[in-house]
Amino acid sequence: MKNRNGILALAILAAAACGKQGEAERAAPAAPPSSGAAAKGLEDHSGELRRDVVAVTDSIAVAIGFGLGNSILVQGETCAFIIDTTESREIAQAISAEFDQLTDLPIEAIIYTHNHADHVFGADVFASGRDIDIYAHETTAGEVNKAVNIIRPILSRRSARMFGTYLDAGDNGFINAGLGPGLGVTGPNGGSIGYLPPTITYSDRLETEICGRKVILQHAPGETDDHTYVYLPDENVLMPGDNIYKAFPNLYTIRGTSYRDVVKWARSLDAMRALGAEHLVPSHTRPVSGRETISDLLTAYADGIRFVHDQTVRGMNMGMDPGALVEFVQLPPHLKNHPYLQEYYGTVRWSVRAIYDGYLGWFNGDGAALNPPTRRARAAAMAKVARDQTTLADAAAEALAADKLALAAELATLAIDADEDANRARALKADALAAMGYQSISPNGRNYLLTQAHELRGNLTIKEIPDERSIAFTRAVPIANFMASLPVNLNAEDALDVERKVEFRFTDTGEVFTVEIRRGVAIVTPAPADEPDLVVETTSLVWIDLLLGQRRAGVAIATGAIKFPGGLGDAAAFGDFMKLFRVT
């Protein structure tokens, strides 16, 4: 779809509200000795971000380290095109001068891999005032508009903090920005904006020819929903945008973002791996060559994302809140130590919180958090506890007597967490929650608070006990849905040394699924396995009943409801496989 109308009215990204202070006023304190390893790691990582123009092939080059993002030049027969344009005119001009040394072909097209500023704000430099084609996903322009017009003020302030815009360089301040040497679009040293809106957009997939080159644009949700990977099939070169770079993925960014669907991100990585690319040219950090090396990198990156997602959901279903989850979800050593999963950009802990919020929202499940006390009230109460040298439980009782119910519930929660007079604290919290429930005109809030008060008093326990109606309903659910639930029920700690492929053949529906256990991660695909370690034949109803606890595996095997084409000797292997899962 072509669109040459409606140029977006860009609001210039503002610098952070506070001006740059004098050196003496904002001199940073000396970094503590314990921070040395982190600073050394970041300094070493700066080598990955060094300024360079790398020739990937005779006709493809990538500019690295000029700004936060890379820019990629592809030379065709009669013209050339650019993939991603970095974050400012000034940076784009420096890159353009380097590209001019490589070719005198005119730039006739630009491809945006996604909407982020460090990929789109240098565009008009490469266009050179000419009316050229600009390719992007159909939602990219809207996402740019949201960032620069709707939430610009808050995004600018938080971005300035996240990218260290106002920090001095050095061990006590700014070292790098993780994906590049720095962000060159905001703050006192920021550049100007040269964004051009897309003129050719697509929805799912676009196969086209640009400058005589066959080009495939594929929608690949990941770091953003509008993400595009660019594939040149004749050269077997893949440009993944920001769906992989040499740092732990930014499954959540602390500058602020909508929920990033990490399941789709992992699937996009699977799709890219299936291409068998010979060259990988990301939009941050350096290119990689070698089909096997690239396949291994994409596999590890997808496994890292899946592990964090699946174990977060597993912990949620076990009843953990975000505070408990960030302690529970830890990458296993083979992923934690992988060079592409070092936390130079995203972190596991932030990702866990984002996944929780993506599924359940801001509420952590504790009634005390529904209408919490103000920060001032909380601070005053804690100061009083310290000043009077009293206990948290005593402070909770005092707040309850004063009808400060939210404060009483929070102080009692802290006492429980500290195991300080915990039985008394539970009773105080129950009284506070019940009182808040009686005062609530929201039935949702009232019922939740009163129920939790009963739980704290030991009057009831919520259990999911399947009845005939729920079982009948569940049996009608497509078998694909049940198979898809297996990864979030994997006991990862028991599977860290397991590499196994199990093929399931459902004789009643004709469907075939493969469950691959790959060192703490389970991947389910609706297709036969390539060289399976175990093949299981059964019906969808038998499998569903087995997962629901309505049928025993041993009985199903003995009666022939579950069969093993490889022989009954595979029954033990099937039992070992089932022990890896906690099915809810």
Side-chain angles (χ1 to χ4, degrees), residues 68-70 118-119 179-180 241-242 244-246 282-286:
L68 187 69
N70 297 345
D118 51 314
H119 300 260
L179 298 187
D242 283 8
I244 183 171
Y245 34 69
K246 196 174 183 181
S283 290
H284 296 284
T285 66
R286 309 185 80 75

Side-chain angles (χ1 to χ4, degrees), residues 236-298:
N236 202 13
V237 179
L238 170 65
M239 291 80 167
D242 283 8
N243 278 348
I244 183 171
Y245 34 69
K246 196 174 183 181
F248 188 85
N250 223 14
L251 305 186
Y252 173 76
T253 179
I254 57 175
R255 69 177 178 269
T257 184
S258 303
Y259 179 62
R260 295 173 171 179
D261 191 325
V262 301
V263 173
K264 290 182 179 178
W265 194 335
R267 289 174 183 161
S268 292
L269 290 163
D270 291 343
M272 289 189 285
R273 185 175 70 248
L275 296 171
E278 186 63 35
H279 302 283
L280 179 75
V281 191
S283 290
H284 296 284
T285 66
R286 309 185 80 75
V288 180
S289 294
R291 186 173 303 187
E292 185 174 343
T293 298
I294 292 168
S295 178
D296 289 346
L297 289 179
L298 291 169

Side-chain angles (χ1 to χ4, degrees), residues 74-113:
V74 180
Q75 299 178 58
E77 296 174 359
T78 58
C79 60
F81 60 95
I82 299 293
I83 301 170
D84 288 339
T85 67
T86 75
E87 64 261 34
S88 73
R89 286 191 177 108
E90 289 75 11
I91 292 171
Q93 286 165 353
I95 292 173
S96 181
E98 294 289 337
F99 286 167
D100 285 345
Q101 302 300 311
L102 302 178
T103 183
D104 56 5
L105 292 172
I107 303 298
E108 294 294 345
I110 290 170
I111 300 172
Y112 296 148
T113 61

Side-chain angles (χ1 to χ4, degrees), residues 174-395:
F174 180 83
I175 297 176
N176 61 56
L179 298 187
L183 178 66
V185 71
T186 61
N189 300 312
S192 57
I193 295 173
Y195 171 72
L196 296 173
T199 61
I200 301 176
T201 63
Y202 77 101
S203 175
D204 181 58
R205 181 180 176 91
L206 176 64
E207 296 189 21
T208 188
E209 188 174 285
I210 305 175
C211 297
R213 293 293 191 98
K214 184 177 180 181
V215 179
I216 297 173
L217 306 183
Q218 177 65 52
H219 185 215
E223 190 176 89
T224 62
D225 285 342
D226 70 321
H227 233 88
T228 293
Y229 75 64
V230 183
Y231 181 55
L232 307 181
D234 293 339
E235 296 80 7
N236 202 13
V237 179
L238 170 65
M239 291 80 167
D242 283 8
N243 278 348
I244 183 171
Y245 34 69
K246 196 174 183 181
F248 188 85
N250 223 14
L251 305 186
Y252 173 76
T253 179
I254 57 175
R255 69 177 178 269
T257 184
S258 303
Y259 179 62
R260 295 173 171 179
D261 191 325
V262 301
V263 173
K264 290 182 179 178
W265 194 335
R267 289 174 183 161
S268 292
L269 290 163
D270 291 343
M272 289 189 285
R273 185 175 70 248
L275 296 171
E278 186 63 35
H279 302 283
L280 179 75
V281 191
S283 290
H284 296 284
T285 66
R286 309 185 80 75
V288 180
S289 294
R291 186 173 303 187
E292 185 174 343
T293 298
I294 292 168
S295 178
D296 289 346
L297 289 179
L298 291 169
T299 298
Y301 219 65
D303 284 356
I305 292 173
R306 282 194 169 100
F307 185 94
V308 173
H309 169 269
D310 295 348
Q311 293 307 301
T312 297
V313 176
R314 176 188 170 210
M316 286 163 45
N317 287 331
M318 292 164 64
M320 297 183 193
D321 66 10
L325 283 168
V326 296
E327 302 300 328
F328 174 70
V329 181
Q330 305 285 332
L331 285 181
H334 74 283
L335 294 175
K336 183 177 181 179
N337 297 326
H338 195 284
Y340 270 67
L341 293 172
Q342 300 305 296
E343 294 181 328
Y344 293 132
Y345 203 50
T347 78
V348 173
R349 295 172 75 90
W350 302 340
S351 302
V352 168
R353 291 183 180 276
I355 292 165
Y356 182 99
D357 189 75
Y359 277 99
L360 297 177
W362 62 267
F363 179 43
N364 68 4
D366 183 357
L370 275 176
N371 296 291
T374 65
R375 292 175 65 175
R376 178 180 290 275
R378 182 186 301 115
M382 296 306 295
K384 188 174 186 301
V385 167
R387 183 174 61 250
D388 296 348
Q389 295 187 350
T390 187
T391 67
L392 289 165
D394 285 342

Side-chain angles (χ1 to χ4, degrees), residues 39-51 64-65 174-178 180-181 286 344:
K40 178 64 165 59
L42 281 174
E43 288 167 359
D44 291 345
H45 185 61
S46 291
E48 183 74 23
L49 314 174
R50 66 187 182 276
R51 181 176 286 208
I64 306 162
F174 180 83
I175 297 176
N176 61 56
R286 309 185 80 75
Y344 293 132

